Structure formats: C-alpha cells, structure tokens
Amino acid sequence: MDVATKIRAFLEEREITQLALSEKTHISPAKLSLSLNNKRKLNFDEYQTICWALGVGVDAFMEPRPPVG
C-alpha cells in the first residue's frame, strides 16, 4: 500500500476530513486532494507537516526499502 493510501485510511479511521487536515497543515485543499488521490506526489516537507498534524512520526506511513544496486 502506498503512502497516500495509508494516509487516507488513517484519516477515514479517525474521521478526519481532508479539509480539516488542509487547515491544520496550510496545504491547499486542492493540492492535498491531488496528493492523497495519487495524482500528485507529496514532497517531503508536506509529508512531514502532515505527520506532525496527525501526531505521528514520519515513519508511520512508510515502509523501509532495501538499497538499490
């Protein structure tokens, strides 16, 4: 499961709207919606801000990857 899908599931489980997250993070509703629907990639600063707003560590929605090569 990708990061955006995990964040969306987290929001749904806790009944947090994308609008409420947008207001707390100051990420525009349009940009947040595109990102959480996999039509735009979150940059790391946005991801960190979302994690802060949700009260979770930056590792909450990521899976470790082995090195490439």
Side-chain angles (χ1 to χ4, degrees):
M1 190 180 317
D2 62 87
V3 170
T5 303
K6 289 179 182 179
I7 294 172
R8 270 198 340 268
F10 184 94
L11 295 176
E12 290 171 11
E13 289 168 6
R14 288 157 182 80
E15 298 181 355
I16 300 169
T17 65
Q18 286 186 25
L19 183 58
L21 182 59
S22 171
E23 290 171 355
K24 191 164 185 178
T25 60
H26 301 284
I27 299 170
S28 75
K31 190 182 277 190
L32 189 60
S33 178
L34 287 171
S35 298
L36 296 183
N37 287 298
N38 289 314
K39 297 184 189 229
R40 173 188 178 276
K41 289 194 182 251
L42 285 169
N43 67 44
F44 193 70
D45 288 337
E46 292 167 337
Y47 177 73
Q48 283 182 300
T49 302
I50 289 169
C51 289
W52 167 82
L54 297 176
V56 300
V58 293
D59 60 340
F61 305 109
M62 293 186 169
E63 305 263 335
R65 288 190 215 175
V68 177

